[in-house]
Amino acid sequence: ENLDAALDGDRLEAIPIFAAMAGYTHHWDEHWRSTISGGYVWADPPPSLGSFAIDNTIYASANLMWHPTTSFRMGLEYLYGRKVTLDGSERDAHRFDFVLRYDLVR
């Protein structure tokens, strides 16, 4: 969302941002693995960006992957996101992904 800098009055000021992300991968056995991850972003944009500028966001994901060979893998992933704007509006987003991958060159 281009949160590098913004006008604060007649001066271009850097926007303070705090962001953190963490993840963990667990290998259930030789062919199965799962990864969970999450992230948080907080911004302090000036009023010049308007009431729809990002205040904070949250992101989370979890998946289950099956890889029976070194060249082939498939799996399911769930993703969640939430965005809060300066005016206090909040919106959630949910997404499921299916992944199918085959490497032709190893």
Side-chain angles (χ1 to χ4, degrees):
E1 290 248 357
N2 297 328
L3 289 177
D4 296 329
L7 289 176
D8 188 7
D10 58 352
R11 291 179 39 127
L12 186 62
E13 296 284 335
I15 298 173
I17 301 283
F18 170 80
M21 184 172 188
Y24 172 74
T25 298
H26 180 78
H27 294 269
W28 299 99
D29 64 24
E30 184 180 343
H31 302 290
W32 291 90
R33 69 174 165 83
S34 294
T35 300
I36 60 170
S37 67
Y40 174 78
V41 175
W42 170 85
D44 188 19
S48 65
L49 288 183
S51 60
F52 294 117
I54 291 175
D55 180 46
N56 66 74
T57 65
I58 293 175
Y59 166 85
S61 70
N63 67 30
L64 178 62
M65 299 295 292
W66 177 55
H67 42 99
T69 70
T70 56
S71 297
F72 177 76
R73 69 187 67 177
M74 62 188 282
L76 292 171
E77 182 172 49
Y78 169 73
L79 301 132
Y80 168 77
R82 189 187 85 197
K83 175 183 173 181
V84 179
T85 58
L86 287 179
D87 71 353
S89 298
E90 296 182 25
R91 293 295 181 260
D92 293 327
H94 304 271
R95 183 171 78 192
F96 282 97
D97 290 328
F98 173 72
V99 176
L100 181 63
R101 176 177 160 178
Y102 185 78
D103 296 326
L104 297 173
V105 179
R106 259 307 193 188

